[in-house]
Amino acid sequence: MQAVVLHQFGNASQLRLQSVADPRPGPGELLLRVRACGVCYHDVINRRGSLPRTNVPAILGHEVAGEVVEVGPGVRGWAVGDRAATLQRMSCGACPACESGRTSLCKRDNRFFGEELPGGYAGLMVAPVGGVGRVPDGMPWAVAATVCCTAGTAVHVIRTRGRVQPGETVVVTGASGGVGLQTVQLARLDGARVIAVTSNLGKVNALYNAGAHEVVVSPTLEFAASVRRATDGEGADVAVEIVGSKTFGQTLKAMAPGGRIVVVGNLESGTIDLNPGLVIVKELEILGAYATTQGELETALSLTHAGRLSPYVTEVLPLSDAAKAHARLENRAVAGRLVLSPDAL
Ligand SMILES: [Zn+2]
Ligand SMILES: [Zn+2]
């Protein structure tokens, strides 16, 4: 098969299309013919060498949709020709964390596609059945590939972790990326008042179209005062922190008493200064959000299929353009998601 292989950690030029041996499914696994694979900022971070569980050479990509072309021994419920999309990571399904529904916390099987498991920048990919969901008939492959990590993440962030209630104010940083646009949409759908923060004036319209009530454009990322003004001085009830360390200080200042900060993205690794006093007197909750459960993926696929969440696939590129896709993502030149297609070599 053809695959984009990361030879060494570094810049995008380390991603190169080449011929590699076809993978074969083992017990409990499916072989997928990859029809689309989203390019996520996580892949950029992985490519740079910031994720400790990836060894090079590696095939990146965890946002995969494709059809089953071979079923491994012992697999029930899946057949050749079925349409599947991957979760970001595996879980064992049997430990206390999994049994409580928090599969993102499973330690027995925490393999991540594109890290320990070869990913979807390839013509074929092996996926354990615990790491996939069913793609509805008629859903375009490029959309199906990106639903988990964008809309699925939004479901995890807004509903599961953020517990957003109708009438609450939700501020979203890094709002114009794939996760951000879905988060804005879902928060609006769930009845929240949504304030989107972006550093880029060119992305304002996309944010209003996604359902933002207000858009704060802040190239310097000094947005706390604007959020406070937009909430009559109250601050936001919930913040969805997609940028991470660069915006966290402002997010803290933008919160209402009792506010919940859901941290789901961290574009630049780094540490933050945190004033514990602010957390104490406002009784703030700082909540991590990681990956998506099979149930959240199903919810996201059905909300998308029903047209209640609009997907943001910006462009489908041939697999050979993986390096270009990474460069565009790093230059913040993308609103929504880029998707690679092995069908368009
Ligand atoms: Zn992703
Ligand atoms: Zn488990």
Side-chain angles (χ1 to χ4, degrees):
M1 68 169 177
Q2 294 287 298
V4 171
V5 176
L6 175 68
H7 289 268
Q8 289 185 12
F9 296 118
N11 64 26
S13 69
Q14 295 293 336
L15 295 167
R16 293 199 287 275
L17 187 71
Q18 66 180 73
S19 206
V20 302
D22 286 0
R24 294 295 312 279
E29 294 177 338
L30 304 171
L31 181 65
L32 303 179
R33 179 180 166 220
V34 178
R35 301 300 297 271
C37 183
V39 180
C40 183
Y41 209 85
H42 182 97
D43 302 350
V44 172
I45 295 168
N46 199 0
R47 192 205 71 219
R48 290 175 183 162
S50 302
L51 301 180
R53 300 188 301 179
T54 305
N55 292 305
V56 286
I59 299 175
L60 306 184
H62 56 271
E63 302 184 1
V64 185
E67 60 217 354
V68 176
V69 290
E70 191 177 341
V71 175
V75 169
R76 285 161 197 264
W78 287 90
V80 170
D82 284 354
R83 292 156 55 86
T86 58
L87 296 171
Q88 299 96 338
R89 54 156 282 171
M90 296 302 304
S91 55
C92 78
C95 71
C98 286
E99 284 187 344
S100 74
R102 298 190 70 179
T103 52
S104 298
L105 302 183
C106 179
K107 285 186 173 171
R108 281 192 203 158
D109 187 357
N110 58 7
R111 293 172 297 166
F112 209 106
F113 290 107
E115 295 179 36
E116 298 95 333
L117 294 167
Y121 289 15
L124 296 165
M125 193 189 86
V126 165
V129 286
V132 295
R134 283 179 196 281
V135 174
D137 285 340
M139 180 178 278
W141 289 113
V143 171
T146 59
V147 163
C148 183
C149 215
T150 58
T153 300
V155 172
H156 190 63
V157 164
I158 293 295
R159 294 187 176 175
T160 308
R161 301 296 287 148
R163 315 185 308 273
V164 170
Q165 301 300 311
E168 288 191 317
T169 300
V170 176
V171 62
V172 182
T173 68
S176 58
V179 172
L181 287 165
Q182 295 287 333
T183 300
V184 167
Q185 278 195 80
L186 183 61
R188 172 89 184 224
L189 185 68
D190 285 355
R193 178 155 175 265
V194 185
I195 302 172
V197 178
T198 180
S199 58
N200 188 337
L201 189 61
K203 293 175 175 175
V204 169
N205 281 345
L207 288 164
Y208 280 120
N209 289 339
H213 294 85
E214 301 212 29
V215 178
V216 174
V217 181
S218 178
T220 57
L221 297 176
E222 296 275 324
F223 54 85
S226 301
V227 171
R228 301 196 70 80
R229 261 197 307 280
T231 53
D232 296 328
E234 290 293 312
D237 300 304
V238 177
V240 178
E241 182 53 86
I242 298 176
V243 177
S245 52
K246 271 178 136 177
T247 48
F248 197 86
Q250 286 286 302
T251 295
L252 269 177
K253 289 180 186 164
M255 299 312 293
R260 287 128 33 223
I261 303 173
V262 184
V263 185
V264 65
N266 192 25
L267 300 185
E268 315 296 336
S269 312
T271 57
I272 52 158
D273 286 328
L274 174 70
N275 175 0
L278 202 58
V279 179
I280 294 167
V281 297
K282 286 190 177 179
E283 293 203 339
L284 297 178
E285 295 179 53
I286 299 172
L287 303 152
Y290 179 51
T292 309
T293 68
Q294 272 182 318
E296 289 162 349
L297 173 59
E298 271 172 32
T299 300
L301 285 165
S302 72
L303 285 170
T304 305
H305 196 50
R308 302 190 74 201
L309 292 179
S310 303
Y312 289 98
V313 174
T314 308
E315 201 174 328
V316 179
L317 300 168
L319 190 56
S320 52
D321 276 351
K324 275 187 206 161
H326 273 234
R328 283 171 61 182
L329 212 56
E330 284 179 297
N331 294 332
R332 305 276 191 274
V334 187
R337 264 295 193 276
L338 295 176
V339 173
L340 300 174
S341 166
D343 294 335
L345 281 175

Coordinates of all heavy atoms in Angstrom, one line a residue, residues 16-107:
R16 N 6.7 11.7 4.2 CA 6.9 11.3 2.7 C 6.1 10.1 2.3 O 6.0 9.1 3.1 CB 8.4 11.1 2.5 CG 9.2 12.4 2.7 CD 10.5 12.3 2.0 NE 11.4 11.5 2.7 CZ 12.2 11.9 3.8 NH1 12.1 13.1 4.2 NH2 13.0 11.0 4.4
L17 N 5.5 10.2 1.2 CA 4.7 9.1 0.6 C 5.6 8.0 0.1 O 6.5 8.3 -0.6 CB 3.8 9.6 -0.5 CG 2.8 8.7 -1.1 CD1 1.6 8.4 -0.1 CD2 2.2 9.2 -2.4
Q18 N 5.3 6.8 0.5 CA 6.1 5.7 0.0 C 5.3 4.4 0.0 O 4.2 4.4 0.5 CB 7.4 5.5 0.8 CG 7.1 5.1 2.2 CD 8.4 5.0 3.0 OE1 9.0 5.9 3.4 NE2 8.8 3.7 3.3
S19 N 5.9 3.4 -0.6 CA 5.2 2.1 -0.6 C 5.7 1.3 0.7 O 6.8 1.3 1.0 CB 5.7 1.4 -1.9 OG 4.8 0.4 -2.2
V20 N 4.7 0.7 1.4 CA 5.0 -0.1 2.6 C 4.2 -1.4 2.5 O 3.2 -1.5 1.7 CB 4.7 0.6 3.9 CG1 5.5 1.9 4.0 CG2 3.3 0.9 4.1
A21 N 4.6 -2.4 3.3 CA 3.8 -3.6 3.3 C 2.4 -3.4 3.8 O 2.1 -2.6 4.7 CB 4.5 -4.7 4.2
D22 N 1.4 -4.2 3.2 CA 0.1 -4.1 3.6 C 0.0 -4.7 5.0 O 0.5 -5.7 5.3 CB -0.8 -5.0 2.7 CG -1.1 -4.3 1.4 OD1 -0.6 -3.2 1.1 OD2 -1.8 -5.0 0.5
P23 N -0.8 -4.0 5.9 CA -1.0 -4.6 7.3 C -2.1 -5.7 7.2 O -2.9 -5.7 6.3 CB -1.5 -3.4 8.1 CG -2.2 -2.5 7.1 CD -1.4 -2.7 5.8
R24 N -2.1 -6.6 8.2 CA -3.1 -7.7 8.3 C -3.8 -7.6 9.6 O -3.1 -7.3 10.6 CB -2.4 -9.0 8.1 CG -1.8 -9.3 6.8 CD -2.8 -9.4 5.7 NE -3.9 -10.2 5.9 CZ -3.9 -11.6 5.8 NH1 -2.9 -12.2 5.4 NH2 -5.0 -12.2 6.1
P25 N -5.1 -7.8 9.7 CA -5.8 -7.8 11.0 C -5.5 -9.0 11.8 O -5.5 -10.1 11.3 CB -7.2 -7.7 10.5 CG -7.3 -8.4 9.2 CD -5.9 -8.2 8.6
G26 N -5.3 -8.8 13.1 CA -5.1 -9.9 14.1 C -6.5 -10.1 14.7 O -7.5 -9.6 14.3
P27 N -6.5 -11.0 15.8 CA -7.7 -11.3 16.5 C -8.4 -10.0 17.0 O -7.7 -9.1 17.5 CB -7.3 -12.2 17.6 CG -6.0 -12.8 17.1 CD -5.3 -11.7 16.3
G28 N -9.7 -9.9 16.8 CA -10.4 -8.7 17.3 C -10.2 -7.5 16.5 O -10.6 -6.4 16.9
E29 N -9.6 -7.6 15.3 CA -9.3 -6.4 14.6 C -9.9 -6.4 13.2 O -10.2 -7.5 12.6 CB -7.7 -6.3 14.4 CG -7.0 -6.0 15.7 CD -5.5 -6.0 15.5 OE1 -5.0 -6.5 14.5 OE2 -4.8 -5.5 16.4
L30 N -10.1 -5.2 12.6 CA -10.6 -5.0 11.3 C -9.5 -4.4 10.4 O -8.7 -3.6 10.9 CB -11.8 -4.0 11.3 CG -13.0 -4.3 12.2 CD1 -13.9 -3.1 12.2 CD2 -13.7 -5.6 11.7
L31 N -9.5 -4.8 9.1 CA -8.7 -4.1 8.2 C -9.6 -3.1 7.4 O -10.6 -3.6 6.8 CB -8.0 -5.1 7.2 CG -7.1 -4.4 6.2 CD1 -5.9 -3.8 6.9 CD2 -6.6 -5.5 5.1
L32 N -9.2 -1.9 7.5 CA -10.0 -0.8 6.8 C -9.3 -0.4 5.5 O -8.1 -0.2 5.6 CB -10.2 0.4 7.7 CG -10.9 0.2 9.0 CD1 -11.0 1.5 9.8 CD2 -12.3 -0.4 8.8
R33 N -10.0 -0.2 4.5 CA -9.5 0.5 3.3 C -9.8 2.0 3.6 O -11.0 2.4 3.8 CB -10.2 0.1 2.0 CG -9.8 0.9 0.8 CD -10.5 0.5 -0.4 NE -10.2 1.5 -1.5 CZ -11.1 1.9 -2.3 NH1 -12.3 1.5 -2.3 NH2 -10.7 2.9 -3.2
V34 N -8.8 2.8 3.9 CA -8.9 4.1 4.3 C -9.5 5.0 3.2 O -8.9 5.0 2.1 CB -7.6 4.7 4.8 CG1 -7.8 6.2 5.2 CG2 -7.0 3.9 5.9
R35 N -10.6 5.6 3.4 CA -11.2 6.5 2.4 C -10.9 8.0 2.7 O -11.0 8.8 1.8 CB -12.7 6.2 2.2 CG -13.0 4.8 1.9 CD -12.4 4.4 0.5 NE -13.0 5.2 -0.6 CZ -14.1 4.8 -1.3 NH1 -14.7 3.7 -1.0 NH2 -14.5 5.6 -2.2
A36 N -10.7 8.3 3.9 CA -10.4 9.6 4.3 C -9.7 9.7 5.7 O -10.0 8.8 6.5 CB -11.7 10.5 4.4
C37 N -8.8 10.6 5.9 CA -8.2 10.8 7.2 C -8.0 12.2 7.5 O -7.3 12.9 6.7 CB -6.8 10.0 7.2 SG -6.0 10.1 8.9
G38 N -8.6 12.7 8.5 CA -8.5 14.1 8.9 C -7.0 14.4 9.4 O -6.3 13.6 9.9
V39 N -6.7 15.7 9.2 CA -5.4 16.2 9.6 C -5.6 17.1 10.8 O -6.3 18.1 10.7 CB -4.6 16.9 8.5 CG1 -3.3 17.4 9.0 CG2 -4.4 16.1 7.3
C40 N -5.2 16.7 12.0 CA -5.5 17.3 13.3 C -4.3 18.0 13.8 O -3.1 17.5 13.5 CB -5.9 16.1 14.2 SG -6.5 16.6 15.8
Y41 N -4.4 19.0 14.6 CA -3.2 19.6 15.2 C -2.5 18.7 16.1 O -1.2 18.8 16.2 CB -3.6 20.9 16.0 CG -2.5 21.9 15.9 CD1 -2.3 22.8 14.9 CD2 -1.5 21.9 16.9 CE1 -1.3 23.7 14.8 CE2 -0.4 22.8 16.9 CZ -0.3 23.7 15.8 OH 0.7 24.5 15.7
H42 N -3.2 17.7 16.6 CA -2.5 16.6 17.4 C -1.4 16.0 16.5 O -0.3 15.6 17.0 CB -3.6 15.6 17.8 CG -3.1 14.4 18.6 ND1 -3.2 14.4 19.9 CD2 -2.5 13.3 18.2 CE1 -2.7 13.2 20.4 NE2 -2.2 12.6 19.3
D43 N -1.7 15.8 15.2 CA -0.7 15.2 14.3 C 0.5 16.1 14.2 O 1.7 15.6 14.0 CB -1.3 15.0 12.9 CG -2.6 14.2 12.9 OD1 -2.9 13.6 14.0 OD2 -3.3 14.1 11.9
V44 N 0.3 17.4 14.2 CA 1.5 18.3 14.1 C 2.3 18.2 15.3 O 3.6 18.1 15.3 CB 1.0 19.8 13.9 CG1 2.1 20.8 14.1 CG2 0.3 19.9 12.6
I45 N 1.7 18.1 16.5 CA 2.4 18.0 17.8 C 3.2 16.6 17.8 O 4.3 16.5 18.2 CB 1.4 18.1 18.9 CG1 0.8 19.5 19.0 CG2 2.1 17.7 20.3 CD1 -0.4 19.6 19.9
N46 N 2.5 15.6 17.3 CA 3.1 14.3 17.2 C 4.3 14.3 16.3 O 5.4 13.8 16.6 CB 2.0 13.3 16.7 CG 2.3 11.8 16.9 OD1 3.4 11.5 17.5 ND2 1.5 11.0 16.5
R47 N 4.1 14.9 15.1 CA 5.2 15.0 14.1 C 6.5 15.7 14.7 O 7.6 15.3 14.4 CB 4.7 15.8 12.9 CG 5.6 15.7 11.7 CD 5.4 16.9 10.8 NE 6.0 18.1 11.4 CZ 5.4 19.3 11.4 NH1 4.3 19.5 10.7 NH2 6.0 20.3 12.0
R48 N 6.2 16.7 15.5 CA 7.4 17.4 16.1 C 8.1 16.6 17.1 O 9.2 17.0 17.6 CB 6.9 18.7 16.8 CG 6.4 19.8 15.8 CD 5.8 20.9 16.6 NE 5.3 22.0 15.8 CZ 4.4 22.9 16.2 NH1 4.0 22.9 17.5 NH2 3.9 23.8 15.4
G49 N 7.5 15.5 17.6 CA 8.2 14.6 18.6 C 7.8 14.9 20.0 O 8.5 14.5 20.9
S50 N 6.7 15.6 20.2 CA 6.2 16.0 21.5 C 5.4 14.9 22.2 O 5.0 15.1 23.4 CB 5.4 17.3 21.5 OG 6.2 18.3 20.9
L51 N 5.1 13.8 21.5 CA 4.2 12.8 22.2 C 5.1 11.6 22.4 O 5.7 10.9 21.5 CB 3.1 12.4 21.2 CG 2.1 13.6 20.9 CD1 1.0 13.1 20.0 CD2 1.6 14.2 22.1
P52 N 5.3 11.2 23.7 CA 6.3 10.3 24.1 C 6.1 8.8 23.6 O 7.0 8.0 23.7 CB 6.3 10.4 25.6 CG 5.0 10.9 26.0 CD 4.6 11.8 24.9
R53 N 4.8 8.5 23.2 CA 4.6 7.1 22.9 C 4.7 6.8 21.4 O 4.4 5.7 21.0 CB 3.2 6.7 23.4 CG 3.0 6.9 24.9 CD 1.7 6.4 25.5 NE 0.6 7.1 24.9 CZ -0.7 6.8 25.1 NH1 -0.9 5.9 26.0 NH2 -1.6 7.4 24.5
T54 N 5.1 7.8 20.6 CA 5.3 7.5 19.2 C 6.7 7.2 18.9 O 7.6 7.9 19.4 CB 4.9 8.8 18.4 OG1 3.5 9.1 18.8 CG2 4.9 8.5 16.9
N55 N 7.0 6.1 18.2 CA 8.3 5.8 17.7 C 8.3 6.0 16.2 O 7.4 5.5 15.5 CB 8.7 4.4 18.1 CG 8.8 4.3 19.6 OD1 9.6 5.0 20.2 ND2 8.1 3.3 20.2
V56 N 9.4 6.6 15.7 CA 9.6 6.7 14.2 C 10.4 5.5 13.7 O 11.2 4.9 14.5 CB 10.3 8.0 13.8 CG1 9.4 9.1 14.0 CG2 11.6 8.2 14.6
P57 N 10.2 5.0 12.5 CA 9.2 5.6 11.5 C 7.7 5.3 12.0 O 7.5 4.3 12.6 CB 9.5 4.9 10.2 CG 10.2 3.6 10.6 CD 10.9 3.9 11.9
A58 N 6.9 6.3 11.7 CA 5.5 6.2 12.1 C 4.5 6.6 11.0 O 4.9 7.4 10.1 CB 5.3 7.1 13.3
I59 N 3.3 6.0 11.1 CA 2.2 6.5 10.2 C 1.2 7.2 11.1 O 0.7 6.6 12.0 CB 1.6 5.3 9.4 CG1 2.6 4.6 8.6 CG2 0.4 5.8 8.6 CD1 2.1 3.3 7.9
L60 N 1.1 8.5 10.9 CA 0.2 9.3 11.7 C -1.2 9.2 11.3 O -1.5 8.6 10.3 CB 0.7 10.8 11.6 CG 2.1 11.1 11.9 CD1 2.3 12.6 11.9 CD2 2.6 10.6 13.3
G61 N -2.1 9.9 12.1 CA -3.5 10.0 11.7 C -4.4 9.1 12.6 O -4.3 7.9 12.6
H62 N -5.3 9.8 13.3 CA -6.3 9.1 14.1 C -7.7 9.5 13.7 O -8.7 9.0 14.4 CB -6.1 9.5 15.6 CG -6.2 11.0 15.8 ND1 -5.1 11.8 15.7 CD2 -7.2 11.8 16.1 CE1 -5.4 13.1 15.9 NE2 -6.7 13.1 16.1
E63 N -7.9 10.2 12.6 CA -9.3 10.6 12.2 C -9.6 9.9 10.9 O -9.5 10.5 9.8 CB -9.4 12.1 12.0 CG -9.0 12.9 13.3 CD -9.2 14.4 13.1 OE1 -9.6 14.9 12.0 OE2 -8.8 15.1 14.1
V64 N -10.0 8.6 11.0 CA -10.0 7.7 9.9 C -11.4 7.2 9.6 O -12.1 6.9 10.6 CB -9.1 6.5 10.2 CG1 -9.0 5.7 8.9 CG2 -7.7 7.0 10.6
A65 N -11.8 7.2 8.4 CA -13.0 6.5 8.0 C -12.7 5.7 6.8 O -11.9 6.0 5.9 CB -14.1 7.5 7.6
G66 N -13.3 4.5 6.7 CA -13.1 3.6 5.6 C -14.0 2.4 5.7 O -14.8 2.2 6.6
E67 N -13.9 1.6 4.6 CA -14.7 0.4 4.6 C -13.9 -0.8 5.0 O -12.7 -0.9 4.8 CB -15.4 0.2 3.3 CG -14.4 0.0 2.1 CD -15.0 0.7 0.9 OE1 -16.1 1.2 0.9 OE2 -14.2 0.8 -0.1
V68 N -14.6 -1.8 5.7 CA -14.0 -3.0 6.2 C -13.7 -3.9 4.9 O -14.6 -4.2 4.1 CB -14.9 -3.7 7.1 CG1 -14.3 -5.1 7.6 CG2 -15.2 -2.9 8.4
V69 N -12.4 -4.2 4.8 CA -12.1 -5.1 3.7 C -11.6 -6.5 4.2 O -11.5 -7.4 3.4 CB -11.0 -4.5 2.8 CG1 -11.5 -3.4 2.0 CG2 -9.7 -4.1 3.6
E70 N -11.4 -6.7 5.5 CA -11.1 -8.0 6.0 C -11.4 -7.9 7.5 O -11.2 -6.9 8.2 CB -9.6 -8.3 5.8 CG -9.2 -9.7 6.1 CD -7.7 -10.0 5.8 OE1 -7.1 -9.3 5.1 OE2 -7.3 -11.0 6.4
V71 N -11.9 -9.0 8.0 CA -12.3 -9.2 9.4 C -11.4 -10.2 10.1 O -11.2 -11.3 9.6 CB -13.8 -9.6 9.5 CG1 -14.2 -9.9 11.0 CG2 -14.7 -8.6 8.9
G72 N -10.7 -9.8 11.2 CA -9.8 -10.6 11.9 C -10.5 -11.7 12.6 O -11.8 -11.7 12.8
P73 N -9.8 -12.7 13.1 CA -10.4 -13.9 13.8 C -11.2 -13.4 15.1 O -10.7 -12.4 15.8 CB -9.2 -14.7 14.3 CG -8.1 -14.3 13.3 CD -8.3 -12.9 13.0
G74 N -12.3 -14.0 15.3 CA -13.0 -13.7 16.6 C -13.9 -12.4 16.6 O -14.5 -12.1 17.6
V75 N -13.9 -11.7 15.5 CA -14.7 -10.5 15.4 C -16.1 -10.8 15.2 O -16.5 -11.5 14.2 CB -14.1 -9.5 14.3 CG1 -15.1 -8.4 14.1 CG2 -12.8 -9.0 14.7
R76 N -17.0 -10.2 16.0 CA -18.4 -10.4 15.8 C -19.0 -9.0 15.4 O -18.6 -8.0 16.0 CB -19.1 -10.9 17.0 CG -18.9 -12.4 17.3 CD -19.2 -12.7 18.8 NE -18.6 -13.9 19.1 CZ -19.3 -15.1 19.1 NH1 -20.5 -15.1 18.8 NH2 -18.6 -16.2 19.5
G77 N -20.1 -9.1 14.6 CA -20.9 -7.9 14.4 C -20.3 -7.0 13.3 O -20.9 -5.9 13.0
W78 N -19.2 -7.3 12.7 CA -18.7 -6.5 11.6 C -18.4 -7.4 10.4 O -18.1 -8.6 10.6 CB -17.3 -5.9 12.0 CG -17.5 -4.7 12.9 CD1 -17.5 -4.8 14.3 CD2 -17.7 -3.3 12.6 NE1 -17.7 -3.5 14.8 CE2 -17.8 -2.6 13.8 CE3 -17.8 -2.6 11.4 CZ2 -18.0 -1.2 13.8 CZ3 -18.0 -1.2 11.4 CH2 -18.1 -0.6 12.6
A79 N -18.7 -6.9 9.2 CA -18.6 -7.7 8.0 C -17.8 -6.9 6.9 O -17.8 -5.6 7.0 CB -19.9 -8.1 7.5
V80 N -17.3 -7.6 5.9 CA -16.7 -6.9 4.8 C -17.7 -5.9 4.2 O -18.8 -6.3 4.0 CB -16.1 -7.9 3.8 CG1 -15.7 -7.3 2.5 CG2 -14.9 -8.7 4.4
G81 N -17.3 -4.7 3.9 CA -18.2 -3.8 3.3 C -18.8 -2.8 4.2 O -19.3 -1.7 3.9
D82 N -18.7 -3.1 5.6 CA -19.3 -2.2 6.6 C -18.5 -0.9 6.6 O -17.3 -0.9 6.2 CB -19.2 -2.8 8.0 CG -20.3 -3.8 8.2 OD1 -21.2 -4.0 7.3 OD2 -20.3 -4.5 9.2
R83 N -19.1 0.2 7.0 CA -18.5 1.5 7.0 C -18.1 1.9 8.4 O -19.0 1.8 9.3 CB -19.5 2.6 6.4 CG -19.7 2.4 4.9 CD -21.1 3.0 4.5 NE -21.2 4.4 4.9 CZ -20.8 5.4 4.1 NH1 -20.2 5.2 2.9 NH2 -21.0 6.7 4.5
A84 N -16.9 2.3 8.7 CA -16.4 2.5 10.0 C -15.6 3.8 10.1 O -15.0 4.3 9.2 CB -15.5 1.3 10.5
A85 N -15.7 4.4 11.3 CA -14.8 5.5 11.6 C -14.1 5.3 13.0 O -14.7 4.6 13.8 CB -15.6 6.8 11.7
T86 N -12.9 5.8 13.1 CA -12.2 5.4 14.4 C -12.4 6.5 15.5 O -12.6 7.6 15.2 CB -10.7 5.4 14.1 OG1 -10.3 6.7 13.6 CG2 -10.3 4.3 13.1
L87 N -12.3 6.0 16.7 CA -12.1 6.8 17.8 C -10.6 7.2 17.8 O -9.8 6.7 17.0 CB -12.3 6.1 19.1 CG -13.7 5.6 19.4 CD1 -13.8 4.6 20.6 CD2 -14.7 6.8 19.6
Q88 N -10.2 8.2 18.7 CA -8.8 8.6 18.7 C -7.9 7.5 19.4 O -6.8 7.3 19.0 CB -8.6 9.9 19.6 CG -9.3 11.1 19.0 CD -10.7 11.3 19.7 OE1 -11.3 10.4 20.3 NE2 -11.2 12.5 19.6
R89 N -8.5 6.8 20.4 CA -7.7 5.9 21.2 C -8.5 4.7 21.6 O -9.7 4.7 21.6 CB -7.1 6.6 22.4 CG -8.1 7.2 23.3 CD -7.7 7.4 24.7 NE -7.8 6.1 25.4 CZ -7.3 5.9 26.7 NH1 -6.7 6.9 27.3 NH2 -7.5 4.8 27.3
M90 N -7.8 3.7 22.1 CA -8.5 2.4 22.5 C -8.8 2.5 24.0 O -8.4 3.4 24.7 CB -7.5 1.3 22.3 CG -7.2 1.0 20.9 SD -8.6 0.7 19.9 CE -9.3 -0.7 20.9
S91 N -9.6 1.6 24.4 CA -9.9 1.3 25.9 C -10.2 -0.1 26.0 O -10.5 -0.8 25.0 CB -11.0 2.2 26.4 OG -12.2 1.9 25.6
C92 N -10.0 -0.7 27.2 CA -10.2 -2.1 27.4 C -11.6 -2.6 27.5 O -12.0 -3.7 27.2 CB -9.4 -2.6 28.6 SG -10.2 -2.3 30.2
G93 N -12.5 -1.7 27.9 CA -13.9 -2.0 28.1 C -14.3 -2.8 29.3 O -15.5 -3.0 29.6
A94 N -13.3 -3.1 30.2 CA -13.6 -3.9 31.4 C -13.1 -3.4 32.7 O -13.5 -3.9 33.7 CB -13.0 -5.3 31.1
C95 N -12.2 -2.4 32.7 CA -11.6 -1.9 33.9 C -12.6 -1.0 34.6 O -13.6 -0.6 34.0 CB -10.3 -1.2 33.7 SG -10.5 0.4 32.8
P96 N -12.4 -0.6 35.9 CA -13.3 0.3 36.6 C -13.6 1.6 35.8 O -14.7 2.1 35.7 CB -12.7 0.6 37.9 CG -11.8 -0.7 38.2 CD -11.3 -1.1 36.8
A97 N -12.5 2.2 35.2 CA -12.8 3.4 34.4 C -13.7 3.2 33.3 O -14.6 3.9 33.0 CB -11.4 4.0 33.9
C98 N -13.4 2.1 32.5 CA -14.3 1.8 31.4 C -15.7 1.5 31.8 O -16.7 1.9 31.2 CB -13.7 0.6 30.6 SG -12.3 1.0 29.6
E99 N -15.9 0.8 32.9 CA -17.2 0.4 33.4 C -18.0 1.6 33.9 O -19.2 1.6 33.8 CB -17.1 -0.7 34.5 CG -16.8 -2.0 33.8 CD -16.9 -3.2 34.7 OE1 -16.9 -3.0 35.9 OE2 -17.0 -4.4 34.2
S100 N -17.3 2.6 34.3 CA -18.0 3.9 34.7 C -18.2 4.8 33.5 O -18.8 5.9 33.7 CB -17.2 4.6 35.8 OG -16.0 5.2 35.2
G101 N -17.8 4.3 32.3 CA -18.1 5.1 31.1 C -17.0 6.1 30.7 O -17.0 6.7 29.7
R102 N -15.9 6.1 31.6 CA -14.8 7.1 31.3 C -13.7 6.3 30.6 O -12.6 6.2 31.2 CB -14.4 7.8 32.6 CG -15.5 8.6 33.2 CD -15.1 9.4 34.4 NE -14.2 10.5 33.9 CZ -13.7 11.4 34.7 NH1 -13.9 11.4 36.0 NH2 -13.0 12.4 34.2
T103 N -14.0 5.9 29.4 CA -13.0 5.1 28.7 C -11.7 5.9 28.3 O -10.7 5.3 28.1 CB -13.6 4.6 27.3 OG1 -14.2 5.7 26.6 CG2 -14.7 3.6 27.6
S104 N -11.8 7.3 28.3 CA -10.6 8.1 28.1 C -9.6 7.9 29.2 O -8.4 8.2 29.0 CB -11.0 9.6 28.1 OG -11.8 9.8 27.0
L105 N -10.0 7.3 30.4 CA -9.1 7.2 31.5 C -8.5 5.7 31.6 O -7.8 5.4 32.5 CB -9.8 7.5 32.8 CG -10.3 9.0 32.9 CD1 -10.9 9.2 34.3 CD2 -9.2 10.0 32.6
C106 N -8.9 4.9 30.6 CA -8.5 3.5 30.7 C -7.0 3.4 30.6 O -6.4 4.0 29.7 CB -9.2 2.7 29.6 SG -8.6 1.0 29.5
K107 N -6.4 2.7 31.5 CA -4.9 2.5 31.4 C -4.5 1.1 30.8 O -3.4 0.9 30.5 CB -4.3 2.6 32.8 CG -4.2 4.1 33.3 CD -3.5 4.2 34.6 CE -3.3 5.6 35.0 NZ -2.7 5.6 36.4

